Coordinates of all heavy atoms in Angstrom, one line a residue:
M1 N 116.0 79.8 119.1 CA 115.1 81.0 119.0 C 115.5 82.0 120.0 O 115.7 81.8 121.2 CB 113.7 80.5 119.3 CG 112.7 81.6 119.1 SD 111.0 80.9 119.0 CE 110.8 80.1 120.6
P2 N 115.7 83.3 119.6 CA 116.1 84.3 120.5 C 115.0 84.7 121.5 O 113.8 84.6 121.1 CB 116.4 85.5 119.6 CG 115.9 85.2 118.3 CD 115.6 83.8 118.2
V3 N 115.4 85.0 122.7 CA 114.4 85.3 123.7 C 113.8 86.6 123.4 O 114.5 87.6 123.0 CB 115.1 85.4 125.1 CG1 114.1 85.9 126.2 CG2 115.7 84.0 125.5
G4 N 112.5 86.7 123.5 CA 111.8 88.0 123.2 C 111.1 88.0 121.8 O 110.2 88.7 121.6
V5 N 111.7 87.2 120.9 CA 111.1 87.1 119.5 C 110.3 85.8 119.5 O 111.0 84.7 119.5 CB 112.1 87.1 118.4 CG1 111.5 86.9 117.1 CG2 112.9 88.4 118.5
E6 N 109.0 85.8 119.7 CA 108.3 84.6 119.9 C 107.4 84.1 118.8 O 107.1 83.0 118.6 CB 107.5 84.7 121.2 CG 108.3 85.0 122.4 CD 109.3 84.0 122.7 OE1 109.2 82.9 122.3 OE2 110.3 84.4 123.4
Y7 N 106.9 85.1 117.9 CA 106.1 84.6 116.8 C 106.1 85.7 115.8 O 106.4 86.9 116.0 CB 104.7 84.3 117.3 CG 103.8 85.5 117.5 CD1 102.9 86.0 116.5 CD2 103.8 86.2 118.7 CE1 102.1 87.0 116.7 CE2 103.0 87.3 118.9 CZ 102.1 87.7 117.9 OH 101.3 88.8 118.1
D8 N 105.7 85.3 114.6 CA 105.6 86.3 113.5 C 104.1 86.3 113.1 O 103.4 85.3 113.1 CB 106.6 86.0 112.4 CG 106.2 84.8 111.5 OD1 105.0 84.8 111.1 OD2 107.1 84.0 111.2
D9 N 103.7 87.5 112.6 CA 102.3 87.6 112.2 C 101.9 86.7 111.0 O 100.8 86.4 110.8 CB 102.1 89.1 111.8 CG 101.7 89.9 113.0 OD1 101.3 89.4 114.0 OD2 101.9 91.2 112.9
K10 N 102.9 86.4 110.2 CA 102.5 85.7 109.0 C 102.4 84.2 109.2 O 101.9 83.4 108.4 CB 103.6 85.9 107.9 CG 103.5 87.4 107.5 CD 104.8 87.7 106.6 CE 104.9 89.2 106.3 NZ 105.1 90.0 107.5
G11 N 103.0 83.7 110.4 CA 102.9 82.3 110.6 C 103.7 81.5 109.6 O 103.3 80.5 109.1
S12 N 104.9 82.1 109.2 CA 105.6 81.5 108.0 C 106.2 80.2 108.3 O 106.5 79.5 107.4 CB 106.7 82.5 107.6 OG 107.6 82.7 108.7
G13 N 106.4 79.8 109.6 CA 107.0 78.5 109.9 C 108.4 78.5 109.5 O 109.0 77.4 109.2
D14 N 109.1 79.6 109.6 CA 110.6 79.7 109.2 C 111.5 79.4 110.4 O 112.7 79.5 110.3 CB 110.9 81.0 108.7 CG 110.7 82.2 109.6 OD1 110.2 81.9 110.7 OD2 111.0 83.3 109.3
G15 N 110.9 78.9 111.5 CA 111.7 78.6 112.7 C 111.9 79.7 113.7 O 112.4 79.5 114.8
V16 N 111.6 80.9 113.3 CA 111.8 82.0 114.2 C 110.6 82.2 115.1 O 110.8 82.5 116.3 CB 112.0 83.4 113.4 CG1 112.0 84.5 114.3 CG2 113.2 83.2 112.5
G17 N 109.4 82.0 114.7 CA 108.2 82.1 115.5 C 107.4 80.9 115.5 O 107.7 79.9 114.9
V18 N 106.3 81.0 116.2 CA 105.4 79.9 116.3 C 104.0 80.1 115.6 O 103.1 79.4 115.9 CB 105.2 79.4 117.7 CG1 106.5 78.8 118.2 CG2 104.8 80.5 118.6
G19 N 103.9 81.1 114.8 CA 102.6 81.4 114.1 C 101.8 82.4 114.7 O 101.9 82.8 115.9
S20 N 100.9 83.0 113.9 CA 100.1 84.2 114.3 C 99.0 83.8 115.3 O 98.5 84.7 116.0 CB 99.5 84.9 113.1 OG 98.6 84.0 112.4
K21 N 98.5 82.6 115.4 CA 97.4 82.2 116.3 C 97.9 81.9 117.7 O 97.1 81.8 118.6 CB 96.7 81.0 115.7 CG 96.1 81.3 114.3 CD 95.0 82.3 114.4 CE 94.4 82.4 113.0 NZ 94.2 83.8 112.6
F22 N 99.2 81.7 117.8 CA 99.8 81.3 119.1 C 99.4 82.2 120.3 O 99.0 81.7 121.3 CB 101.3 81.2 118.9 CG 102.0 80.6 120.1 CD1 102.0 79.3 120.4 CD2 102.7 81.5 121.0 CE1 102.6 78.8 121.5 CE2 103.3 81.0 122.1 CZ 103.3 79.6 122.4
P23 N 99.6 83.5 120.2 CA 99.3 84.4 121.3 C 97.8 84.5 121.6 O 97.4 84.6 122.8 CB 99.9 85.8 120.9 CG 100.3 85.7 119.6 CD 100.3 84.3 119.1
V24 N 97.0 84.3 120.6 CA 95.6 84.4 120.8 C 95.1 83.1 121.5 O 94.3 83.2 122.5 CB 94.8 84.5 119.4 CG1 93.3 84.4 119.6 CG2 95.2 85.8 118.7
T25 N 95.7 82.0 121.2 CA 95.3 80.8 121.9 C 95.8 80.8 123.3 O 95.2 80.2 124.2 CB 95.7 79.5 121.2 OG1 97.1 79.5 121.0 CG2 95.0 79.3 119.8
A26 N 97.0 81.4 123.5 CA 97.6 81.5 124.9 C 96.7 82.3 125.8 O 96.4 81.9 126.9 CB 99.0 82.0 124.8
L27 N 96.2 83.4 125.2 CA 95.3 84.3 126.0 C 94.0 83.7 126.2 O 93.4 83.7 127.3 CB 95.2 85.7 125.3 CG 94.3 86.7 126.0 CD1 94.8 87.0 127.4 CD2 94.1 87.9 125.2
T28 N 93.5 83.0 125.2 CA 92.2 82.3 125.3 C 92.2 81.2 126.4 O 91.3 81.1 127.1 CB 91.8 81.7 123.9 OG1 91.7 82.8 123.0 CG2 90.4 81.0 124.0
A29 N 93.3 80.5 126.4 CA 93.5 79.4 127.4 C 93.5 80.0 128.8 O 92.8 79.5 129.7 CB 94.7 78.6 127.2
R30 N 94.1 81.2 129.0 CA 94.2 81.8 130.3 C 92.8 82.3 130.7 O 92.3 82.2 131.8 CB 95.1 83.0 130.3 CG 96.6 82.7 130.1 CD 97.3 82.3 131.3 NE 98.7 82.1 131.0 CZ 99.4 81.3 131.7 NH1 99.0 80.6 132.7 NH2 100.7 81.1 131.4
L31 N 92.1 82.9 129.7 CA 90.7 83.4 130.0 C 89.7 82.3 130.3 O 88.9 82.4 131.2 CB 90.2 84.3 128.8 CG 91.0 85.6 128.7 CD1 90.5 86.3 127.4 CD2 90.8 86.5 129.9
L32 N 89.9 81.2 129.6 CA 89.0 80.0 129.8 C 89.3 79.5 131.2 O 88.4 79.1 131.9 CB 89.2 79.0 128.8 CG 88.4 77.7 128.9 CD1 86.9 78.0 128.8 CD2 88.7 76.7 127.8
T33 N 90.5 79.4 131.6 CA 90.9 79.0 132.9 C 90.2 79.8 134.0 O 89.6 79.3 134.9 CB 92.4 79.0 133.1 OG1 93.0 78.1 132.1 CG2 92.8 78.5 134.5
L34 N 90.4 81.1 133.8 CA 89.8 82.1 134.8 C 88.3 82.0 134.9 O 87.7 81.9 136.0 CB 90.2 83.5 134.4 CG 89.7 84.6 135.3 CD1 90.3 84.5 136.7 CD2 90.0 86.0 134.8
L35 N 87.6 81.9 133.7 CA 86.2 81.8 133.7 C 85.7 80.5 134.4 O 84.8 80.5 135.2 CB 85.7 81.9 132.3 CG 84.2 81.8 132.1 CD1 83.5 83.0 132.7 CD2 83.8 81.7 130.6
S36 N 86.3 79.4 134.0 CA 86.0 78.1 134.6 C 86.2 78.1 136.1 O 85.3 77.6 136.9 CB 86.8 77.0 134.0 OG 86.5 76.9 132.6
L37 N 87.3 78.7 136.6 CA 87.5 78.7 138.0 C 86.6 79.6 138.8 O 86.1 79.2 139.9 CB 89.0 79.0 138.3 CG 90.1 78.1 137.7 CD1 91.4 78.6 138.1 CD2 89.8 76.7 138.2
I38 N 86.2 80.7 138.2 CA 85.3 81.6 138.9 C 83.9 80.9 139.0 O 83.3 81.0 140.0 CB 85.2 82.9 138.1 CG1 86.5 83.8 138.3 CG2 84.0 83.8 138.5 CD1 86.6 85.0 137.5
I39 N 83.5 80.3 137.9 CA 82.2 79.6 137.9 C 82.2 78.5 139.0 O 81.3 78.3 139.8 CB 81.8 79.0 136.6 CG1 81.5 80.1 135.6 CG2 80.6 78.0 136.6 CD1 81.4 79.7 134.1
S40 N 83.3 77.8 139.1 CA 83.5 76.7 140.1 C 83.3 77.3 141.5 O 82.6 76.7 142.3 CB 84.8 76.1 139.9 OG 85.0 75.0 140.9
V41 N 84.0 78.4 141.8 CA 83.9 79.0 143.1 C 82.5 79.5 143.4 O 81.9 79.2 144.5 CB 84.9 80.1 143.3 CG1 84.6 81.0 144.5 CG2 86.3 79.6 143.4
V42 N 81.9 80.1 142.5 CA 80.5 80.6 142.7 C 79.5 79.5 143.0 O 78.7 79.6 143.9 CB 80.0 81.5 141.5 CG1 78.6 81.8 141.5 CG2 80.9 82.8 141.4
V43 N 79.5 78.5 142.2 CA 78.6 77.4 142.4 C 78.9 76.7 143.7 O 78.0 76.3 144.5 CB 78.7 76.4 141.2 CG1 77.8 75.1 141.5 CG2 78.2 77.0 139.9
L44 N 80.2 76.5 144.0 CA 80.6 75.8 145.3 C 80.1 76.6 146.5 O 79.6 76.1 147.5 CB 82.1 75.6 145.3 CG 82.6 74.8 146.5 CD1 82.1 73.4 146.4 CD2 84.1 74.8 146.4
K45 N 80.3 77.9 146.4 CA 79.9 78.8 147.6 C 78.4 78.9 147.7 O 77.9 79.1 148.8 CB 80.4 80.2 147.4 CG 81.9 80.4 147.5 CD 82.4 80.3 148.9 CE 82.1 81.5 149.7 NZ 82.6 81.5 151.0
T46 N 77.6 78.8 146.6 CA 76.2 78.9 146.7 C 75.4 77.6 147.0 O 74.2 77.6 147.2 CB 75.6 79.6 145.4 OG1 76.0 78.8 144.3 CG2 76.1 81.0 145.3
N47 N 76.2 76.5 146.9 CA 75.6 75.2 147.1 C 75.5 74.9 148.6 O 76.5 74.7 149.3 CB 76.4 74.1 146.5 CG 75.8 72.7 146.6 OD1 74.6 72.6 146.8 ND2 76.6 71.7 146.5
D48 N 74.3 75.0 149.2 CA 74.0 74.6 150.6 C 72.7 74.0 150.7 O 71.8 74.2 149.9 CB 74.2 75.8 151.5 CG 73.3 77.0 151.2 OD1 72.3 76.8 150.5 OD2 73.6 78.1 151.6

């Protein structure tokens, strides 16, 4: 797979890309990580 070409919009499965939902799930995983970690810090700091 050439560097820089990572997915196609159609999710055709032709070996060139990894499908149209791939970047959305990648961003969602990052955002979920951030949200979870922020909640963790807030609760930890306020627990006394």
Side-chain angles (χ1 to χ4, degrees):
M1 185 168 55
V3 175
V5 178
E6 302 300 337
Y7 79 96
D8 74 48
D9 275 336
K10 297 169 188 60
S12 61
D14 60 359
V16 175
V18 288
S20 64
K21 302 292 184 226
F22 184 79
V24 175
T25 57
L27 180 62
T28 302
R30 298 276 186 207
L31 292 173
L32 180 61
T33 301
L34 181 65
L35 181 66
S36 297
L37 297 180
I38 288 172
I39 291 171
S40 179
V41 166
V42 168
V43 174
L44 189 62
K45 290 286 283 183
T46 58
N47 182 23
D48 57 20

